[in-house]
Amino acid sequence: MRGTFETAAHVSFCNRALRAYLLLFAMIGAMSLCGAQESSPGTDHPANIPANIKVQYDQAEGTLPPIWNYFGYDEPNYTYAANGKKLLGELAAIDGSPVYVRVHNLLTTGDGSASLKWGSTNVYTEDAAGHAVYSWEILDHIFDTFHAAGITPLVEIGFMPEALSTHPEPYRHSFPKTSVQEIYTGWAYPPKDYDKWADVVFHFVDHLRQRYGDKEVKSWLWEVWNEPDIPYWHGTAEEYDRLYDVTAAAIRSELSDAKIGGPESTGPANDQAAAFLHQFLEHCAHGTNAATSKTGAPLDFISFHPKGSPKFIDGHVRMNVGAQLRSVERGMQIVASFPEWRSTPIILGESDPEGCAGCKGEQNGYRNGAL
């Protein structure tokens, strides 16, 4: 995950970042476009399209904001592996800015063994009578490593513990032996009891607060789930809104000034993803809150995932950052269409020129090597 967290109070600051961001992609896009035209002589497009880029290198406008200081991965148990600790330490040392890390599977049931696109903490199970059993050992290992490295967590609340899933079996997938479409197993379903889910979230936040202290935990960011507009969430949009309301209320009941956001939906260049983001923002602005019965839901930042669409063409990988930028543009247009959210910070939670983490194929081979 790479992303950016922007505040309305620093408009010119963010404009400088955006110009730098777009300049980089303009240069890449111009080179990619010229390469595409040269390799496609039979098209109706001219063979050479000039791209004029003006860089005033002798005119300073201010400090470039660190739009590169957000990272993440699916597999939380790699956090405390030797290479995980090494990488986190290197990221934290990039500069003096907070380095945020976001991981999946912080509430997933399992023994902590890691594999691609999988992880677990076994935080919540139940005894034979259906009573809650909490275990913090694996979770502490993850967050102790963040703490030691100087990492600021962007805490993703998910996924569904096996004991609470409405469809618990099968639960653990076997990717990459199976396709990526088969990873969405029992952990991806809504809770069968929202009160129990709220208790899990409350105890989760309470434990982290007790272990790391108010000052540190209040600097963290909190969000609900990942990509609920695709099968990461085997529920409806309305059910996700309910999950968001209940989860946010549980977080705030323990940490009243927690910064909470979402929905970490997929790239809004896709119509379905755009519709999901729009309905979520509408709910947070004007909907009935499932936890409080009041109007609206807390939303301190808005997050979505602009990604590229790499293809293997003529012996090389073409990243197609144009697809990524179209999602950035449309997502920001959707946010700006709501007066309530126009000045709300945006996190591009998975801002990747690649399309699918861990996926196979020639288009992904450039970054699928061994450690």
Side-chain angles (χ1 to χ4, degrees):
M1 175 194 75
R2 272 79 62 190
T4 176
F5 186 68
E6 303 174 356
T7 58
H10 296 83
V11 175
S12 62
F13 185 75
C14 295
N15 285 342
R16 292 195 298 274
L18 182 59
R19 284 200 294 274
Y21 192 70
L22 294 177
L23 173 61
L24 172 63
F25 281 115
M27 295 171 69
I28 296 171
M31 291 185 287
S32 300
L33 183 58
C34 291
Q37 296 304 323
E38 290 168 3
S39 64
S40 306
T43 66
D44 295 328
H45 300 289
N48 295 294
I49 299 177
N52 297 316
I53 300 172
K54 184 178 181 181
V55 180
Q56 295 175 311
Y57 63 88
D58 59 339
Q59 297 183 24
E61 289 194 31
T63 303
L64 180 67
I67 62 174
W68 52 80
N69 61 333
Y70 286 73
F71 304 87
Y73 41 96
D74 292 58
E75 305 89 355
N77 307 100
Y78 288 157
T79 299
Y80 47 83
N83 279 313
K85 291 181 178 180
K86 178 175 180 291
L87 178 58
L88 290 172
E90 291 170 349
L91 293 176
I94 288 175
D95 59 30
S97 302
V99 172
Y100 293 89
V101 168
R102 167 181 177 260
V103 296
H104 296 343
N105 293 299
L106 288 175
L107 294 177
T108 304
T109 303
D111 60 5
S113 58
S115 59
L116 283 176
K117 300 189 79 66
W118 174 261
S120 60
T121 62
N122 222 43
V123 160
Y124 179 85
T125 55
E126 292 180 355
D127 62 19
H131 299 134
V133 177
Y134 289 97
S135 173
W136 306 111
E137 181 180 359
I138 298 173
L139 186 80
D140 289 348
H141 210 170
I142 295 166
F143 279 83
D144 284 354
T145 304
F146 290 155
H147 177 78
I151 294 294
T152 301
L154 197 171
V155 185
E156 177 192 305
I157 306 292
F159 295 117
M160 194 56 59
E162 187 173 16
L164 289 183
S165 174
T166 54
H167 191 94
E169 296 181 357
Y171 192 77
R172 180 167 182 170
H173 61 73
S174 56
F175 182 84
K177 294 180 181 179
T178 59
S179 71
V180 72
Q181 287 75 27
E182 296 177 77
I183 69 170
Y184 309 111
T185 49
W187 54 265
Y189 284 80
K192 60 186 179 183
D193 186 321
Y194 277 86
D195 289 338
K196 284 188 174 182
W197 168 256
D199 285 342
V200 171
V201 175
F202 173 83
H203 286 290
F204 173 79
V205 177
D206 177 66
H207 174 77
L208 293 172
R209 186 180 184 183
Q210 295 297 327
R211 188 170 182 85
Y212 302 104
D214 280 5
K215 182 178 179 180
E216 181 168 346
V217 172
K218 286 180 180 180
S219 71
W220 299 356
L221 303 176
W222 305 79
E223 64 178 16
V224 183
W225 221 256
N226 174 69
E227 298 186 345
D229 56 311
I230 63 172
Y232 268 98
W233 175 248
H234 279 299
T236 65
E238 292 74 22
E239 286 173 318
Y240 173 75
D241 294 343
R242 181 184 181 187
L243 183 84
Y244 183 89
D245 294 346
V246 171
T247 305
I251 295 171
R252 287 276 177 90
S253 68
E254 173 60 19
L255 198 63
S256 61
D257 50 359
K259 294 183 176 66
I260 304 170
E264 292 286 0
S265 49
T266 59
N270 175 279
D271 289 343
Q272 178 179 326
F276 187 96
L277 177 60
H278 189 280
Q279 75 79 32
F280 172 74
L281 297 178
E282 174 66 28
H283 170 75
C284 290
H286 306 122
T288 300
N289 190 298
T292 66
S293 299
K294 297 179 180 179
T295 298
L299 188 62
D300 297 302
F301 62 87
I302 299 162
S303 52
F304 56 88
H305 296 173
K307 296 194 178 187
S309 181
K311 292 180 173 56
F312 193 77
I313 299 173
D314 295 333
H316 69 277
V317 177
R318 182 181 299 166
M319 297 304 294
N320 189 6
V321 293
Q324 183 181 0
L325 291 176
R326 283 189 290 274
S327 278
V328 173
E329 180 180 40
R330 192 172 185 190
M332 290 185 174
Q333 288 171 345
I334 292 170
V335 173
S337 71
F338 288 86
E340 298 88 350
W341 310 126
R342 196 168 292 161
S343 298
T344 303
I346 292 173
I347 294 180
L348 305 179
E350 294 182 18
S351 185
D352 303 318
E354 64 215 40
C356 177
C359 289
K360 296 175 282 187
E362 291 179 305
Q363 73 275 18
N364 297 309
Y366 69 94
R367 51 90 165 119
N368 279 349
L371 288 172

